[in-house]
Amino acid sequence: PWCAFPIGLLGSLAYLVAVWVGMVARDEDGRGRILEHFRSWLLVDGATEFAIWSHGATFDVPILEDAWQTCRRAPVPMADGFMQLVPQPIPWDYRAARDTRTLFWLAESLTGWKWEKKGETAHTALADAVAQAEAVRSAYAALATIRQI
């Protein structure tokens, strides 16, 4: 079964990623370790299928996928006796990427829902993730009001 991140975890995810990014900025050789910590966090309960959310389909997930392919490599013996570094598989299925902008458009189109941003917040990864998680919850609530025929 698919298991998506509970909405409350999005803020935690943003915080963890911000910490990891800070670590990477200080330790270039640590990128693979940081991605391994991220993979372990994703698969903490033995999940093999899940959704990975971002605010827009063309930014966060492709960057993570590129980092994964660039930094997560394992040595594989070749026929000539040499070792070649081969990219490790990305830990999510290509169909698992979800984006908030599509959800928000759908909620607005079908129900008239609008994202009501609450005041000015600092533009940080954590503040953005919390605001987006609250908006996702609100958009899902709006969509839940649609009656099936």
Side-chain angles (χ1 to χ4, degrees):
W2 282 86
C3 69
F5 296 121
I7 298 304
L9 287 180
L10 289 179
S12 300
L13 173 60
Y15 175 75
L16 288 172
V17 170
V19 169
W20 293 333
V21 167
M23 291 170 65
V24 168
R26 291 186 301 273
D27 179 11
E28 282 201 25
D29 294 330
R31 290 185 183 130
R33 288 192 314 271
I34 300 306
L35 290 168
E36 180 57 31
H37 285 295
F38 182 63
R39 187 190 70 78
S40 297
W41 183 81
L42 285 175
L43 307 176
V44 70
D45 291 325
T48 57
E49 296 182 10
F50 47 84
I52 184 161
W53 284 81
S54 65
H55 187 56
T58 60
F59 189 73
D60 300 306
V61 173
I63 289 172
L64 272 174
E65 289 176 348
D66 183 66
W68 198 269
Q69 293 295 309
T70 302
C71 300
R72 292 282 302 149
R73 297 177 178 268
V76 174
M78 304 305 290
D80 59 8
F82 289 97
M83 300 293 270
Q84 180 177 359
L85 292 176
V86 176
Q88 296 299 290
I90 295 167
W92 55 85
D93 187 271
Y94 71 95
R95 295 168 292 197
R98 306 287 188 271
D99 80 284
T100 58
R101 290 184 178 137
T102 302
L103 175 66
F104 298 165
W105 170 82
L106 188 61
E108 182 177 353
S109 297
L110 297 177
T111 70
W113 174 89
K114 294 267 189 214
W115 183 3
E116 295 180 22
K117 297 181 181 180
K118 298 176 183 174
E120 278 299 311
T121 58
H123 188 64
T124 65
L126 181 57
D128 289 350
V130 169
Q132 291 162 17
E134 290 171 353
V136 165
R137 184 178 306 150
S138 175
Y140 270 125
L143 288 169
T145 64
I146 299 174
R147 291 185 181 205
Q148 290 184 337
I149 298 174

